[in-house]
């Protein structure tokens, strides 16, 4: 149609225009291709603790910059620290950042003079980190009321976290429950211990109400007819229940309480024996719930050391001969019991119990029903069979061991040794399983023999469970205070204060004191081990390397001794601390006023600890064979109890047992 209507010249011009229009986009695309969309740059993020201590190193993590970047950290004091790139984390890290002045401070990330990011934190004086636990301990010892003491320490610590102001005071008060107590409750391990403890109390309630506990008393009293033999029997039972410290305290304390009451042994002495044959036994035995945790921590520490080619389990086994405090603590229990001598507040407690029959101090703060067992006495006219207690306790112990094996075998895999299986076991799961089976066994025996009705069995279970509630409150508050000390970096402060420039021979002794101080302040031997083990083993190796001794096999005893003193010091601090979980459980299971237990045990723990340091740890650090220190230390403890202990007659207890049998 265009050919007919338009002249040829116009047709040519039109086609030219069309061709130009079609070619234009192509030419434009070729001349200036559009830029591909650019991914947005990764934002720089800075991670710093919300609270730091003056003079105590803390870690800073930076993510976002290129791995090739050169970064520095500058604090408000003007100090600069270089950041290094960690390929595993995919981030820049600095472990030794310091702040020297208290108050609000800013951490600035700098790259070639350019500020990339800032992060705010707050610094408090280092000494403040030990104030909450120290205050809790002081109030507990001064007023003999542990719950208000724990709450005061918890509140003061929370105020330090939230700020020293009126608003911080209010926020800290509210956070004691909403943050720290709640956090202690929702922790799975803590909840398992609470559940296990309550179920143990319920099982003991059924066993006591059905006459099983009285049956055990009647059997043991046939041999343990004196306070001396009753204490020895309690210590031996503590050695038998070796696999877990929590199970040890609860089983031994609840089982032997009736026996020692009948023999007029004070509750303070019972709690001491229970406490001193729990953690010391569990940390020395080869197959316990502690082993996997300890070996794992040692392995983490050894992995940090270049040039050290030893296995973690080998370090653990070689460290056992240097575990002076646990060995001495167990020995001292039997030395005190066999000699029939005591000193300090324990002597007064034993004298009171033997002469007046009062196994508890007048005014002692315990659940009277739990202590005296009034609501759990066997029904009259019903048989009192020891088997009704031995079977549930056997089911409990066997259930724990079986649970440890089942859960450990699943984690360790085929071909693992028994030690490896127990080391990999889930102790919390095993304890909960076993406590349930123990309760069911006790209930079936009581109802099946028609000693109790189903309703009476449930009431007995509740009565036993109820007796544990007061101690559970204390335990939860102690856990909450431990989380406060973690937030305040208490352990790191103690390491900084006590861990500087050490002579080689004194390294184990200083680590022992450091672990004891940390456990005393935090109330947790496991927490102490978890914090210190990865720090002090590399420290010991560094001191050896500085003196050129790290290549000598003979000098490795410093490394082994250091590993042992972390554990031994943690147990010692636990024994001395009123906020320790095992100390609280020992008081609870023994039906003893908690502060009375701490007050009477403290002189014994201090005596054993000092002998362990000055006869064991320090001499072996300077080359004395460990077996010489062990023999001399055991001999010295025997001399101490014979020299300073006052004899408490067994005649009253023997007469009481004979009269009761008649």
């Amino acid at each position: 149609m265009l050919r007919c209507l338009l002249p040829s010249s116009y047709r040519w011009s039109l086609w030219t225009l069309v061709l130009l229009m079609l070619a234009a986009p192509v030419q434009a695309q070729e001349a200036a291709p559009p830029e591909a969309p650019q991914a947005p740059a990764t934002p720089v993020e800075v991670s710093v603790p919300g609270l730091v201590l003056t003079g105590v190193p803390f870690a800073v993590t930076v993510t976002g910059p290129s791995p090739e970047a050169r970064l520095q950290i500058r604090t408000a004091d003007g100090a600069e620290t270089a950041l290094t790139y960690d390929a595993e984390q995919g981030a820049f890290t600095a472990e030794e950042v310091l702040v020297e002045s208290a108050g609000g401070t800013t951490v600035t990330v700098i790259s070639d003079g350019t500020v990339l990011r800032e992060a705010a934190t707050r610094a408090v004086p280092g000494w403040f980190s030990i104030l909450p636990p120290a205050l809790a301990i002081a109030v507990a010892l001064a007023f003999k009321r542990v719950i208000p003491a724990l709450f005061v320490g918890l509140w003061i610590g929370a105020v330090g976290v939230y700020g020293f102001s009126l608003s911080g005071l209010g926020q800290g008060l509210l956070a004691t429950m909403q943050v720290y107590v709640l956090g202690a409750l929702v922790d799975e391990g803590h909840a398992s211990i609470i559940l296990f403890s309550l179920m143990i109390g319920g099982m003991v309630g059924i066993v006591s109400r059905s006459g099983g506990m009285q049956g055990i008393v009647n059997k043991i009293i046939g041999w343990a007819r004196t306070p001396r033999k009753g204490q020895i029997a309690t210590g031996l039972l503590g050695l038998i229940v070796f696999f877990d410290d929590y199970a040890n305290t609860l089983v031994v304390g609840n089982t032997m309480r009736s026996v020692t009451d009948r023999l007029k042994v004070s509750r303070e002495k019972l709690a001491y024996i229970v406490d001193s044959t729990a953690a010391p036994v569990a940390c020395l035995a080869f197959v316990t719930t502690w082993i996997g945790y300890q070996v794992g921590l040692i392995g983490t520490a050894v992995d940090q050391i270049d040039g050290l080619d030893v296995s973690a389990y080998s370090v653990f086994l070689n460290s056992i001969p240097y575990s002076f405090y646990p060995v001495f603590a167990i020995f001292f229990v039997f030395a005190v019991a066999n000699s029939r001598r005591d000193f300090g507040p324990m002597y007064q407690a034993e004298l009171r119990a033997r002469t007046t029959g009062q196994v508890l101090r007048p005014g002692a703060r315990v659940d009277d029903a739990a202590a005296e067992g009034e609501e759990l006495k066997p029904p009259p006219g019903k048989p009192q069979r020891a088997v009704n207690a031995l079977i549930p306790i056997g089911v409990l112990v066997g259930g724990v061991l079986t649970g440890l094996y089942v859960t450990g075998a699943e984690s360790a895999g085929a071909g693992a040794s028994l030690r490896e299986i127990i080391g990999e076991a889930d102790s919390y799961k095993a304890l909960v399983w076993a406590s349930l089976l123990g309760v069911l066994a006790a209930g079936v025996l009581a109802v099946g023999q028609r000693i109790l009705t189903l309703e009476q069995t449930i009431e007995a279970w509740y009565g036993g469970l109820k007796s544990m509630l007061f101690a559970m409150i204390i335990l939860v508050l102690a856990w909450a205070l431990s989380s406060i000390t973690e937030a305040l970096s208490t352990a790191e402060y103690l390491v900084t204060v006590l861990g500087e420039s050490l002579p080689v021979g004194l390294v184990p002794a200083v680590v022992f004191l450091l672990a004891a101080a940390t456990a005393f302040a935090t109330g947790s031997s496991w927490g102490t081990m978890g914090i210190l083990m990865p720090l002090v083993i590399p420290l010991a190796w560094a001191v050896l390397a500085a003196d050129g001794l790290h290549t000598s096999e003979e000098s490795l005893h410093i490394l082994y001794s250091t590993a042992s003193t972390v554990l031994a010091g943690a147990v010692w601090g636990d024994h001395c601390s009123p906020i320790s979980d095992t100390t609280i459980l020992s008081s609870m299971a023994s039906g003893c006023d908690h502060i009375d237990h701490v007050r009477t045990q403290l002189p014994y723990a201090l005596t054993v600890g000092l002998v362990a340091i000055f006869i064991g740890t320090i001499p072996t650090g300077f080359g004395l064979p460990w077996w010489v220190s062990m023999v001399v230390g055991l001999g010295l403890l025997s001399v101490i109890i014979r020299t300073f202990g006052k004899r408490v007659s067994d005649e009253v207890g023997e007469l009481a047992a004979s009269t009761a049998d008649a």
Side-chain angles (χ1 to χ4, degrees):
M1 181 177 289
L2 288 172
R3 185 184 299 271
C4 300
L5 296 177
L6 294 174
S8 60
S9 60
Y10 286 103
R11 290 200 303 268
W12 174 252
S13 301
L14 183 59
W15 283 115
T16 302
L17 180 61
V18 171
L19 289 174
L20 289 173
M21 292 176 62
L22 292 174
V26 177
Q27 293 171 356
Q29 184 177 4
E30 292 176 351
E35 295 183 0
Q38 297 292 323
T42 304
V44 176
E45 298 291 341
V46 184
S47 176
V48 298
L51 183 73
V52 299
L53 301 179
T54 57
V56 177
F58 62 93
V60 175
T61 302
V62 178
T63 57
S66 167
E68 291 77 23
R70 299 175 62 183
L71 305 181
Q72 293 83 34
I73 291 292
R74 179 187 296 161
T75 62
D77 301 326
E80 292 191 359
T81 306
L83 284 157
T84 57
Y85 186 74
D86 188 328
E88 292 185 4
Q89 296 186 34
F92 287 87
T93 60
E95 301 290 339
E96 299 293 326
V97 182
L98 287 174
V99 172
E100 298 297 339
S101 56
T105 188
T106 301
V107 175
T108 305
V109 182
I110 303 170
S111 176
D112 297 327
T114 303
V115 175
L116 299 183
R117 190 82 175 185
E118 291 184 342
T121 186
R122 192 166 54 84
V124 298
W127 58 263
F128 181 81
S129 65
I130 63 173
L131 181 60
L135 188 60
I137 291 166
V139 172
L141 294 177
F143 297 97
K144 299 182 179 180
R145 294 293 181 267
V146 70
I147 288 181
L150 286 169
F151 184 78
V152 168
L154 186 58
W155 186 10
I156 294 300
V159 170
V161 172
Y162 284 90
F164 303 105
S165 62
L166 287 178
S167 63
L169 199 65
Q171 284 181 296
L173 177 62
L174 298 178
T176 54
M177 287 291 168
Q178 191 270 326
V179 176
Y180 297 104
V181 171
L182 181 61
L185 282 171
V186 300
D187 180 273
E188 184 177 354
H190 293 171
S192 298
I193 293 171
I194 293 172
L195 184 59
F196 172 71
S197 301
L198 293 176
M199 293 294 280
I200 286 284
M203 185 194 78
V204 171
I206 297 173
V207 166
S208 299
R209 188 82 169 91
S210 65
M213 201 64 73
Q214 188 60 44
I216 285 186
V217 171
N218 296 338
K219 292 290 184 182
I220 294 180
I221 219 72
W223 177 80
R225 300 179 64 86
T226 66
R228 180 181 72 89
K229 291 183 177 180
Q231 294 172 50
I232 293 174
T234 304
L236 290 173
L237 186 58
L239 296 181
I240 293 171
V241 187
F242 62 88
F243 48 85
D244 182 77
D245 56 333
Y246 290 140
N248 184 303
T249 55
L250 292 168
V251 171
V252 177
N254 282 295
T255 301
M256 295 303 296
R257 189 169 60 205
S258 299
V259 176
T260 54
D261 280 1
R262 186 167 182 176
L263 295 171
K264 297 186 179 180
V265 175
S266 66
R267 292 283 178 83
E268 292 92 330
K269 176 61 77 64
L270 174 61
Y272 160 67
I273 297 174
V274 168
D275 205 357
S276 293
T277 54
V281 172
C283 73
L284 290 175
F286 290 165
V287 181
T288 71
T289 56
W290 288 52
I291 296 302
Y293 183 67
Q294 295 174 56
V295 172
L297 292 174
I298 293 172
T300 301
V302 169
D303 289 343
Q304 301 177 36
I305 302 174
D306 294 329
L308 180 61
D309 187 19
V310 293
S311 70
Y313 201 78
S314 172
V315 174
F316 167 71
L317 291 178
N318 283 288
S319 73
I320 291 176
Y322 301 95
S323 299
F324 295 107
Y325 179 78
V327 173
F328 288 174
I330 295 169
F331 172 80
F332 203 60
V333 166
F334 291 97
V336 168
N338 189 60
S339 67
R340 289 166 285 187
R341 296 173 183 272
D342 289 285
F343 58 84
M346 188 71 79
Y347 172 75
Q348 300 299 329
E350 283 290 271
L351 193 63
R352 179 203 69 226
R354 212 78 86 243
T355 56
T356 68
Q358 295 178 334
V359 294
L360 286 164
R361 173 182 58 81
R365 297 283 296 178
V366 296
D367 189 315
D368 291 336
E372 303 300 331
E374 293 296 331
E375 65 177 3
L376 299 178
K377 283 187 175 180
K382 297 291 184 179
Q384 297 175 351
R385 301 185 176 112
V387 70
N388 291 336
L390 294 176
I391 289 179
I393 292 173
V395 169
L396 175 69
V397 174
V400 171
L401 292 175
T402 303
L404 291 174
Y405 183 84
V406 170
T407 58
E410 183 179 349
S411 300
S417 67
L418 181 61
R419 292 193 184 104
E420 292 171 339
I421 289 173
I422 298 299
E424 293 293 327
D426 186 338
S427 59
Y428 295 131
K429 186 180 292 186
L431 291 173
V432 172
W433 287 350
S435 63
L436 172 62
L437 295 176
V439 168
L440 293 177
V444 168
L445 288 170
V447 175
Q449 298 175 65
R450 297 184 179 180
I451 297 175
L452 300 176
T453 65
L454 180 60
E455 182 179 357
Q456 288 175 323
T457 301
I458 294 174
E459 289 175 353
W461 172 80
Y462 176 68
L465 181 147
K466 185 174 62 176
S467 68
M468 310 288 278
L469 291 178
F470 184 76
M472 289 298 99
I473 294 171
I474 297 175
L475 193 58
V476 170
L477 288 175
W479 283 329
L481 183 59
S482 180
S483 66
I484 279 285
T485 61
E486 183 178 352
L488 294 175
S489 303
T490 302
E492 287 79 357
Y493 173 70
L494 292 173
V495 170
T496 302
V497 170
L498 300 178
E500 298 177 350
S501 19
L502 305 174
V504 173
L506 287 180
V507 169
V510 172
V511 170
F512 182 80
L513 293 173
L514 178 61
T518 304
F520 185 81
T522 62
S524 172
S525 56
W526 279 47
T528 299
M529 288 186 285
I531 293 168
L532 294 185
M533 193 74 80
L535 298 176
V536 299
I537 289 184
L539 171 66
W541 184 259
V543 173
L544 286 171
D547 285 32
L549 301 174
H550 61 296
T551 58
S552 170
E553 288 290 332
E554 296 179 357
S555 299
L556 284 180
H557 73 276
I558 295 292
L559 191 72
Y560 302 143
S561 183
T562 300
S564 73
T565 52
V566 174
L567 179 59
V571 174
W572 185 35
D574 246 11
H575 280 170
C576 297
S577 176
I579 60 175
S580 160
D581 48 5
T582 50
T583 303
I584 293 168
L585 285 173
S586 299
S587 304
M588 173 187 70
S590 304
C592 178
D593 183 292
H594 180 58
I595 300 303
D596 286 346
H597 169 43
V598 175
R599 185 173 55 86
T600 53
Q601 176 171 268
L602 190 58
Y604 287 4
L606 289 175
T607 299
V608 175
L610 291 174
V611 172
I613 293 174
F614 291 106
I615 303 300
T617 303
I618 293 178
T620 55
F622 287 97
L624 186 70
W626 66 266
W627 59 268
V628 175
S629 290
M630 193 70 74
V631 171
V632 173
L634 296 176
L636 180 58
L637 288 173
S638 299
V639 171
I640 288 173
I641 190 62
R642 294 283 179 179
T643 303
F644 298 100
K646 298 179 182 178
R647 185 157 183 163
V648 183
S649 176
D650 261 11
E651 293 180 2
V652 176
E654 191 169 7
L655 179 61
S658 302
T659 305
D661 286 347

